[in-house]
Amino acid sequence: MSWHSDVRLTFPHKDDIPMSRSSSWSHTCSASSGMSDLASTVARQSSRESSRGSSRGSSRGSSSDASDSNMPDTQKLLEQKYGVDMSVYSQIEDLTHLVGPLTEDSVLRCLQARFYSQHYQNKIGPVVISVNSYQHRPSCQALLGPVKASVLLQGVVKDAVTQHADTGHSQAIIVSGESGSGKTFCAMQLLRQLFDIAGGGSETDTFKHLSATLTVIQSLCSATTVTNPECSRVGMFIENFITDTAIYRAKIHAYLLDRERVCSIQRYEKNYHIFYQMLSGLGTEEKAKLHLTGYSIHNLRYLSSGSTLQNELEDKARFDAWKSALSILGIPFSDVMRVFSAVLLLGNIEFVEGTGLELDLVGNNEIKAVAALLGVSGVALYRGFTTRTRNSRGQVCKSLADVNMANATRDALTKALYFRTVSAILKRANSIRRPTCNSTLSDSIESNLHQDSLGLSGVRDMPLSRNPSLTSSVCSNYSKKTRVDGFISIVDMFGFETAECNRLEQLCINLCAETMQHFYNTHVFRSTMQSLREEGIQADIEVTYFDNEPILELLSSKRSGLLSILDTECAQPRTSADTFVSKAKVHHRINNYFFEPLPKASSVFGIRHFAGRVVYDASNFLTNNRDQLSDDIICILSKQNCNFGFVSHLFARETKSSSSSGPGPKGMKHRILPSSSSGRNGSDEVRGTLSSDFQNKLDSLIRTLVHTKPHFIECIKSNDRCEMDMFDKDVILRQLRSLQVLDTVQLMAGGIPHRMRYKSFNNRYAVFLTHWNPYQTSSQQEHCKAILNSFLKAMDDSKLPYVSTQWTLGKKHIFFSEGTRQQLEAMRVEKFDNAASLIQAVWKGYLQRKLWPERRKTLQTQQGAPKVTYPVQRKRSKTKESGPKKDPRLLQQASSYYKISLEAAPAIPATRSYNVSGNVRLSYPQSRIMKDDFPKVASDDNVLCRGEEVKVIGPASARGHLKVQRRNVCLDVPYHLLDLKTVPAPDGMDI
Ligand SMILES: Nc1ncnc2c1ncn2[C@@H]1O[C@H](COP(=O)(O)OP(=O)(O)OP(=O)(O)O)[C@@H](O)[C@H]1O
């Protein structure tokens, strides 16, 4: 059964849509229009829009501020070249409103026109396309600095917040794009907006805490790469838990991958920012204490091997900001500095062949300094590097390490010290206020998701492969059910990248980029098409898109994926990179996405990723994937041998398990950075590899995302040289292709990309029904039809501009076009606005009438004049009317819809007489304990002291406050200062 506002049953091709009443201004151009036709049509559209003079509706361009007078010269040149009025193009905010044939060229030209008129954000229906203009550095500016988020990004956040509030479902704003495309910058802008709109603002403790954490992470986990001077070497999934008043907690899940960078940097690249910042920011005395006197980026080997360009002033300023942020998190600065200084100095220690049996050491002073900084003995440290304990069938034997082993142990210790410190800082930052654990990734209050209403059932249940045997670890878990808490998350994962020499880290990063692209494809293209097919709906437009599932299979299939072969190789005692590559070649010889680069080399292979070809050098794949550190060195850092508590704490788990079976090394291997899942089975040795850990985490992330309502932001970099205001067409085109922008535009403009379960649709849009009878027993589909009928009528009455509206009714879902979605949403908002004005008008009228006798008395006494005239209804002027129009029909409708009696006074909105803790409803009054003194400064004795038991009598009118009664005085106390006295009472009611 299908139905359509324009009597078309299925969705026709965009170019075939004739000019008609409901084929709106966005579809008025014939398919054959050339460039000049296009320009004139766009101009027609623009003039029509301006004549409407309305700024309503999300379908409209909001870029009217781009005037000719301040149009940049480049734009004028473009106009001369193409003969097109670029200022008209620049007003097309939504690419689905492009007129004429939708081609790469028209999309590119529109983006270019908007770029040169300084409109860097565009949209394709609900998807936002953000072009990086390289105007701001660093990305944290977007969170803390004066950078204002664009209207479109604000719109995404508002949408997520509204949907979260309306439905209680978790929302995920997923930011994707290549490395350097501005993902982190966008993510920061989004976070700021989220706090401004729903989080209680930037003055809240949660915001301060989060911004401090992000400032710390930015220095610790960002580095200069060839593609991006501010490249984040960490993937982030930031969960924001929201109550009805504020964001009460933000939790960062960080994915640390780039371990090699600490001890080996590629040409033109740099180590992590923090090292350069500390060398510029530390004072002479501090450096002396840290044994860094006389060292600079030129004589520290871990820094000097890469680019040594440095802006010392900027680095110093950033270091100061980092130091203050660290203190906000309560992490001892001096401890962290000791570890990082040791890391830097470790690079200057080198083991070389000696004349005797033992290895010679270059960097005697450095090893002493490192030992002092780590609080261990220098001799013990030397022994730790140069001896190797082995456990062969229960027999522990010691041997001397060779040069390679000793230097490898040094590098492994460097990585372990750095990443364990970063991880400890993150753990500390996340550990503040921890509600009950319940979900895959998060730990917070419980809530249930109703997948169907999100139209996600297709995504969840959908087999990700046409081939049922696909067992990719990333794909296979899509279908697992998890319960996720209500949160709004921002996902800034790794973007596609290619370096001069691509190592295991790049492979994992590109696996992540492939996975995120696959998630997008699945959500935007595949699930809709599959649902259409399942419900027997014939689509006229079959949008083609590049499905990257075979690449994911090549990388992560459990049976024969490259990472699986790598893991198998890592488990073998004697193997090499060449063996791994040759096995990979045997398995994937005929795979289209796997290739052998020229000139041929035994340890090199190539992959055709969705965003481009990458050649990988597998020389260090095995060592990096094993990610191991021997217990010879770990034992030295145990509590017994190390007098620096911070460091011994970093290795506490390993040293504890070693010492439980007697002193000294046992020949065990531990992970450089253990994952949370490793060692869970209680075994001493930590299992897993770097790639398997990462795949598990990615899997877990995707499982969480599948249960959220996603909002997509696709970032595009404007050029490869990080230059401001430079629009490189080739670079942009490459990204438009890889991100499938044109396919998305075609789907959104001409197809029916949205679908909703009838029940959810009916619940959301019941507002269109003039007479709603909740007891009516018609089917959901009938109900939906009635709503659509009313919607059509309302469209006729509405002053909103028409857009093309199409829909089709399936068995379980209603499918509708982007135009319909925009129209439905805009009119729903209009209905609510009208109803709210009406309710307010009725209430105000009632209040005034009720107050009038009292007021009249006052007036009489004041004036002493007995003559009081009753307020007379002002005569309405026929020409001019001010205030909300009192349409009796509308009044009647609204009052019947909201069940309001026009005679009786409106009920006072009920204040919630309870609050919720865990899954238990607690009623007031409650006994709570003060966590801190409040207020901090008070003249009288009305100070609630820390530890004092107080009586909470209900919620206060101020956001995030509760009313506390004490000696007949009521105080509004911030919620976070009040601890529950007892665990939810057993008589509490389960909700
Ligand atoms: N919309 C924007 N306006 C101005 N400057 C921007 C914008 N987006 C990004 N930048 C700047 O461009 C640079 C690169 O951006 P960013 O680091 O956010 O990219 P990314 O996609 O996160 O890269 P990576 O994946 O390598 O971390 C940064 O210096 C950032 O401040």
PDB file of all heavy atoms in Angstrom, residues 818-830:
ATOM      1  N   GLU A 818      13.031  13.710   2.642  1.00  0.00           N
ATOM      2  CA  GLU A 818      13.631  14.734   3.493  1.00  0.00           C
ATOM      3  C   GLU A 818      12.716  15.960   3.551  1.00  0.00           C
ATOM      4  O   GLU A 818      12.535  16.573   4.601  1.00  0.00           O
ATOM      5  CB  GLU A 818      15.018  15.086   2.944  1.00  0.00           C
ATOM      6  CG  GLU A 818      15.725  16.263   3.589  1.00  0.00           C
ATOM      7  CD  GLU A 818      15.943  16.124   5.083  1.00  0.00           C
ATOM      8  OE1 GLU A 818      15.916  15.009   5.600  1.00  0.00           O
ATOM      9  OE2 GLU A 818      16.131  17.180   5.733  1.00  0.00           O
ATOM     10  N   GLY A 819      12.095  16.298   2.395  1.00  0.00           N
ATOM     11  CA  GLY A 819      11.184  17.442   2.364  1.00  0.00           C
ATOM     12  C   GLY A 819      10.028  17.241   3.333  1.00  0.00           C
ATOM     13  O   GLY A 819       9.647  18.151   4.069  1.00  0.00           O
ATOM     14  N   THR A 820       9.492  16.026   3.339  1.00  0.00           N
ATOM     15  CA  THR A 820       8.370  15.739   4.250  1.00  0.00           C
ATOM     16  C   THR A 820       8.829  15.885   5.694  1.00  0.00           C
ATOM     17  O   THR A 820       8.125  16.459   6.519  1.00  0.00           O
ATOM     18  CB  THR A 820       7.875  14.294   4.019  1.00  0.00           C
ATOM     19  OG1 THR A 820       7.704  14.109   2.629  1.00  0.00           O
ATOM     20  CG2 THR A 820       6.577  14.027   4.743  1.00  0.00           C
ATOM     21  N   ARG A 821      10.019  15.359   5.971  1.00  0.00           N
ATOM     22  CA  ARG A 821      10.514  15.450   7.351  1.00  0.00           C
ATOM     23  C   ARG A 821      10.623  16.897   7.793  1.00  0.00           C
ATOM     24  O   ARG A 821      10.147  17.277   8.861  1.00  0.00           O
ATOM     25  CB  ARG A 821      11.880  14.765   7.471  1.00  0.00           C
ATOM     26  CG  ARG A 821      12.416  14.688   8.899  1.00  0.00           C
ATOM     27  CD  ARG A 821      13.867  14.249   8.913  1.00  0.00           C
ATOM     28  NE  ARG A 821      14.766  15.289   8.444  1.00  0.00           N
ATOM     29  CZ  ARG A 821      15.303  16.237   9.215  1.00  0.00           C
ATOM     30  NH1 ARG A 821      15.012  16.278  10.492  1.00  0.00           N
ATOM     31  NH2 ARG A 821      16.107  17.149   8.702  1.00  0.00           N
ATOM     32  N   GLN A 822      11.208  17.710   6.891  1.00  0.00           N
ATOM     33  CA  GLN A 822      11.391  19.114   7.252  1.00  0.00           C
ATOM     34  C   GLN A 822      10.044  19.793   7.470  1.00  0.00           C
ATOM     35  O   GLN A 822       9.855  20.558   8.418  1.00  0.00           O
ATOM     36  CB  GLN A 822      12.173  19.828   6.152  1.00  0.00           C
ATOM     37  CG  GLN A 822      13.629  19.395   6.119  1.00  0.00           C
ATOM     38  CD  GLN A 822      14.438  20.103   5.048  1.00  0.00           C
ATOM     39  OE1 GLN A 822      13.942  20.989   4.370  1.00  0.00           O
ATOM     40  NE2 GLN A 822      15.684  19.704   4.889  1.00  0.00           N
ATOM     41  N   GLN A 823       9.098  19.491   6.565  1.00  0.00           N
ATOM     42  CA  GLN A 823       7.787  20.121   6.663  1.00  0.00           C
ATOM     43  C   GLN A 823       7.047  19.672   7.930  1.00  0.00           C
ATOM     44  O   GLN A 823       6.471  20.475   8.639  1.00  0.00           O
ATOM     45  CB  GLN A 823       6.970  19.753   5.414  1.00  0.00           C
ATOM     46  CG  GLN A 823       5.769  20.640   5.171  1.00  0.00           C
ATOM     47  CD  GLN A 823       6.161  21.990   4.552  1.00  0.00           C
ATOM     48  OE1 GLN A 823       7.343  22.274   4.382  1.00  0.00           O
ATOM     49  NE2 GLN A 823       5.192  22.810   4.260  1.00  0.00           N
ATOM     50  N   LEU A 824       7.102  18.366   8.188  1.00  0.00           N
ATOM     51  CA  LEU A 824       6.423  17.839   9.380  1.00  0.00           C
ATOM     52  C   LEU A 824       6.983  18.493  10.639  1.00  0.00           C
ATOM     53  O   LEU A 824       6.242  18.926  11.516  1.00  0.00           O
ATOM     54  CB  LEU A 824       6.644  16.325   9.479  1.00  0.00           C
ATOM     55  CG  LEU A 824       5.720  15.424   8.660  1.00  0.00           C
ATOM     56  CD1 LEU A 824       6.276  14.004   8.615  1.00  0.00           C
ATOM     57  CD2 LEU A 824       4.321  15.386   9.264  1.00  0.00           C
ATOM     58  N   GLU A 825       8.317  18.569  10.688  1.00  0.00           N
ATOM     59  CA  GLU A 825       8.954  19.114  11.891  1.00  0.00           C
ATOM     60  C   GLU A 825       8.625  20.603  12.050  1.00  0.00           C
ATOM     61  O   GLU A 825       8.267  21.060  13.138  1.00  0.00           O
ATOM     62  CB  GLU A 825      10.471  18.925  11.834  1.00  0.00           C
ATOM     63  CG  GLU A 825      10.936  17.520  12.123  1.00  0.00           C
ATOM     64  CD  GLU A 825      10.530  17.014  13.499  1.00  0.00           C
ATOM     65  OE1 GLU A 825      10.675  17.759  14.474  1.00  0.00           O
ATOM     66  OE2 GLU A 825      10.038  15.876  13.578  1.00  0.00           O
ATOM     67  N   ALA A 826       8.722  21.345  10.915  1.00  0.00           N
ATOM     68  CA  ALA A 826       8.470  22.784  10.997  1.00  0.00           C
ATOM     69  C   ALA A 826       7.025  23.041  11.435  1.00  0.00           C
ATOM     70  O   ALA A 826       6.762  23.905  12.287  1.00  0.00           O
ATOM     71  CB  ALA A 826       8.737  23.431   9.651  1.00  0.00           C
ATOM     72  N   MET A 827       6.100  22.256  10.873  1.00  0.00           N
ATOM     73  CA  MET A 827       4.698  22.499  11.224  1.00  0.00           C
ATOM     74  C   MET A 827       4.367  22.017  12.627  1.00  0.00           C
ATOM     75  O   MET A 827       3.495  22.558  13.296  1.00  0.00           O
ATOM     76  CB  MET A 827       3.789  21.842  10.182  1.00  0.00           C
ATOM     77  CG  MET A 827       3.858  22.634   8.876  1.00  0.00           C
ATOM     78  SD  MET A 827       2.955  21.908   7.566  1.00  0.00           S
ATOM     79  CE  MET A 827       1.340  21.883   8.221  1.00  0.00           C
ATOM     80  N   ARG A 828       5.070  20.986  13.071  1.00  0.00           N
ATOM     81  CA  ARG A 828       4.852  20.514  14.444  1.00  0.00           C
ATOM     82  C   ARG A 828       5.273  21.610  15.422  1.00  0.00           C
ATOM     83  O   ARG A 828       4.571  21.905  16.382  1.00  0.00           O
ATOM     84  CB  ARG A 828       5.695  19.240  14.654  1.00  0.00           C
ATOM     85  CG  ARG A 828       5.529  18.602  15.990  1.00  0.00           C
ATOM     86  CD  ARG A 828       6.277  17.270  16.027  1.00  0.00           C
ATOM     87  NE  ARG A 828       6.246  16.714  17.368  1.00  0.00           N
ATOM     88  CZ  ARG A 828       7.192  16.912  18.269  1.00  0.00           C
ATOM     89  NH1 ARG A 828       8.242  17.639  17.972  1.00  0.00           N
ATOM     90  NH2 ARG A 828       7.080  16.376  19.473  1.00  0.00           N
ATOM     91  N   VAL A 829       6.434  22.226  15.114  1.00  0.00           N
ATOM     92  CA  VAL A 829       6.907  23.312  15.979  1.00  0.00           C
ATOM     93  C   VAL A 829       5.897  24.458  15.968  1.00  0.00           C
ATOM     94  O   VAL A 829       5.556  25.030  17.007  1.00  0.00           O
ATOM     95  CB  VAL A 829       8.302  23.794  15.502  1.00  0.00           C
ATOM     96  CG1 VAL A 829       8.736  25.046  16.216  1.00  0.00           C
ATOM     97  CG2 VAL A 829       9.334  22.697  15.708  1.00  0.00           C
ATOM     98  N   GLU A 830       5.376  24.762  14.759  1.00  0.00           N
ATOM     99  CA  GLU A 830       4.406  25.850  14.638  1.00  0.00           C
ATOM    100  C   GLU A 830       3.167  25.558  15.479  1.00  0.00           C
ATOM    101  O   GLU A 830       2.655  26.410  16.195  1.00  0.00           O
ATOM    102  CB  GLU A 830       4.020  25.997  13.158  1.00  0.00           C
ATOM    103  CG  GLU A 830       3.290  27.286  12.848  1.00  0.00           C
ATOM    104  CD  GLU A 830       2.882  27.352  11.384  1.00  0.00           C
ATOM    105  OE1 GLU A 830       2.090  26.506  10.943  1.00  0.00           O
ATOM    106  OE2 GLU A 830       3.371  28.237  10.681  1.00  0.00           O
TER     107      GLU A 830
END
